[in-house]
Structures are given as structure tokens and as C-alpha cells.
Amino acid sequence: MSMTIGKKSFGEKAFDTFNVVFLTLFAFTAVYPFIDVLVVSFSTPAAANVYGLKLWPREFSAEAYKAVFDNRMIWVGYYNTVYRTVLGTFLNVIFTVLCAYPLSKKYLPNRNLFTMMIVFTMFFSGGLIPNYLLVKELGLLDNRMALILPGLIAAFSMIIVRNYFMSLPEEIEESAKMDGANDFRVLFSIVLPVSKPIIATIALWYAVAHWNAWFDSLLYISNPEKTVLGNVLRKIVIEGSAQFQQFESYDPTRENAVTPDIIKAATIMVATIPIICVYPFVQKYFVKGIMIGSLKG
């Protein structure tokens, strides 16, 4: 009986074709809303109001982006969001690592108890009002640190990092300690350099969370000069606040006029594109970091 290795049957080819077509259509349904907003943001009012599938601008115009970048509140929101994302992500990663590393050591007294106490916070929290009162009593109202300190360590991220550290060979750390290295030297000189996948993974999680967050800014920040981009976007897109829009009213007789809907589309793209650009640089660490960090523990 002869057998051809590597040759697919008709059923296998049909199944592969169905998979490709189905997944392509599924991916398109997920990506199309983003494409639609992008096309509208680069369209003239007449082209933007045309019904039907929009895959490219029928009449190209960048006036909406000119209007968005001329809006001072967009830049204020950008500054506050970048400040929060950079500082917040840095502190998140540092404190998550400092919490996860000792909990990964079997010789730590009551290690399981401390871990369970942290896991408990994933299911039960104080609630909105106690959190607000805590921030108020700490004197953090209308302070940018109110957007960073309450969520300094995410329990889920800490558990993932802890499990990753537990997967590392203990012999590496033991040899370093025999040479006189203390725990901090071992952590920062040996453990962290070989933990780039998990560090990159949680850093992206924290960065995306900070970039997209707006509700805590709505609660704790009353000064418009300290509000984040997500709140500016919310006020422009949902509330239509004149204070935050600062755009000229639509006049169809004026050359290069833009409608509020085009302005909203351009604002959404301006707020979304930067964080999307970060993904390609850390995506390669995702699978390795999450898989290793979730297997042991």
C-alpha cells in the first residue's frame, strides 16, 4: 500500500478554505469599524454622509485633523495622558515586580496566605464610595497621582509575574548569592534581564489601561488643565461640550468646512493611533510571557 506524505485530501483542502474565508470575514467585521472611522475622518462632509461601505475616502480632506490639532484641550489631554501612562506604567511594573519576587520564594513565611489575600482583592473591592473617600482623605483630589497610586499593583498581573519567577531555575540565583549578591542584586541583575517577555507583557497591559482610563479622572480631577485625553474625547464625542470642543460651527458655504461627526472621527483616531503603534514592538513577547507565567503556581 502506497502512501503520499504531505498531500492533503479534498476534505482537508475544503476545511482549510472554509477556515480562511470564515476567519477573514470575522477579522474584517472586527476591523471595519476602525476603518470606517478612519475613512470618515479623512473625508469631506459630502463624502462622509454617503451611505454604504466605506473602505477609502471618496473625497480626501485633512481639515478635520487640522481643526483637532488646533484645539488646545487636545494637547492638554495628551500631555496629562502621556504623563500618566509613562509614570504610571513605570511605577506599576516596579511595584508589581517587587511584590511578585518575594512571593515566588518558597522560603517566605506565610507566602500562600499573602498570595490569597491579594487574590481576594480580584473578587471583592471596597467599592466606589470608599475608594473616593480614601483618595480624599489622602489629599489626592485634583492631583495627578490620584490616577496612579490607587491601582499601583494589579493582582492579576502580579500573579502572572510571580508564576513566571517561579519557573526560573533556582540554581542561577543560588550561584549569585554564593558570590555575595544580595536579593536586590539578584533581582535587578539576574532575574529581570531574563524576564523581558513577562515584563513587556504587563507593561503593555498597564500602559493600555492608563491610556484608555477616563472614569477615575472624571471622579478625582476637577481642574480641566489636569484632565486626561480620554475625558476630553468623551466630552467631545458624547457630551458635545463647547468648553472642550473649541471648534467652529459647521458652515456648508465655507470652503474646507468640516462637520461635528468628522471632527469626532478625527479626535477618536488621534486618541487611538498612538497606543496601537506600541503593539508591534511588544507583541512578540505576549505568547511566551503569558504561557510561562500561567503554567506554574
Side-chain angles (χ1 to χ4, degrees):
M1 183 176 66
S2 62
M3 225 174 144
T4 304
I5 299 176
K7 187 176 181 181
K8 293 184 178 181
S9 65
F10 174 79
E12 290 174 328
K13 292 180 180 179
F15 180 76
D16 290 343
T17 302
F18 172 79
N19 267 347
V20 171
V21 173
F22 174 78
L23 292 176
T24 301
L25 292 175
F26 182 79
F28 178 76
T29 59
V31 175
Y32 178 71
F34 181 83
I35 297 176
D36 182 75
V37 174
L38 179 63
V39 170
V40 169
S41 69
F42 279 110
S43 298
T44 61
N49 290 329
V50 174
Y51 289 101
L53 201 65
K54 298 184 180 73
L55 297 178
W56 57 83
R58 300 184 182 182
E59 297 177 10
F60 183 86
S61 173
E63 289 299 316
Y65 287 92
K66 182 178 182 299
V68 168
F69 288 124
D70 286 341
N71 183 359
R72 177 178 171 275
M73 290 310 300
I74 292 292
W75 294 109
V76 170
Y78 251 117
Y79 170 78
N80 292 321
T81 297
V82 171
Y83 175 89
R84 170 186 185 167
T85 302
V86 173
L87 180 60
T89 301
F90 174 77
L91 293 177
N92 286 141
V93 172
I94 290 295
F95 280 87
T96 299
V97 168
L98 292 178
C99 179
Y101 182 67
L103 289 177
S104 68
K105 302 305 171 188
K106 297 179 180 179
Y107 55 78
L108 179 71
N110 299 317
R111 180 185 68 150
N112 292 332
L113 175 62
F114 294 141
T115 302
M116 289 305 300
M117 291 173 62
I118 294 174
V119 172
F120 181 83
T121 64
M122 296 174 59
F123 304 98
F124 302 95
S125 64
L128 182 62
I129 295 177
N131 284 337
Y132 180 86
L133 293 177
L134 175 62
V135 171
K136 180 181 178 182
E137 293 300 320
L138 291 175
L140 294 177
L141 287 182
D142 220 16
N143 189 320
R144 292 187 182 92
M145 295 307 294
L147 310 179
I148 298 174
L149 293 182
L152 200 57
I153 298 177
F156 179 77
S157 298
M158 193 282 298
I159 295 299
I160 293 293
V161 177
R162 166 187 172 270
N163 293 348
Y164 188 96
F165 287 160
M166 291 175 64
S167 69
L168 299 177
E170 297 181 0
E171 292 78 8
I172 300 178
E173 300 181 35
E174 291 175 356
S175 62
K177 289 183 178 180
M178 290 177 63
D179 292 335
N182 57 26
D183 288 325
F184 280 100
R185 182 66 181 273
V186 171
L187 173 61
F188 289 101
S189 298
I190 297 177
V191 176
L192 290 186
V194 299
S195 303
K196 291 180 181 178
I198 198 65
I199 299 301
T201 299
I202 66 167
L204 183 61
W205 287 348
Y206 281 127
V208 171
H210 280 300
W211 187 273
N212 292 333
W214 60 270
F215 187 64
D216 52 358
S217 175
L218 182 67
L219 290 177
Y220 307 135
I221 304 298
S222 57
N223 186 351
E225 298 298 319
K226 296 179 181 180
T227 193
V228 297
L229 185 61
N231 229 3
V232 176
L233 178 64
R234 173 180 172 273
K235 290 180 177 295
I236 292 175
V237 174
I238 300 178
E239 296 182 4
S241 173
Q243 176 189 5
F244 284 83
Q245 284 195 4
Q246 298 181 358
F247 300 124
E248 297 180 13
S249 299
Y250 173 57
D251 182 3
T253 62
R254 184 171 60 87
E255 186 179 1
N256 297 328
V258 289
T259 63
D261 288 339
I262 299 178
I263 290 290
K264 292 177 181 179
T267 306
I268 292 173
M269 295 308 303
V270 167
T272 306
I273 289 296
I275 198 65
I276 291 179
C277 294
V278 176
Y279 274 92
F281 298 100
V282 293
Q283 185 181 13
K284 61 182 179 180
Y285 296 114
F286 255 53
V287 175
K288 184 178 178 181
I290 296 177
M291 289 298 294
I292 296 179
S294 61
L295 291 178
K296 190 173 182 179

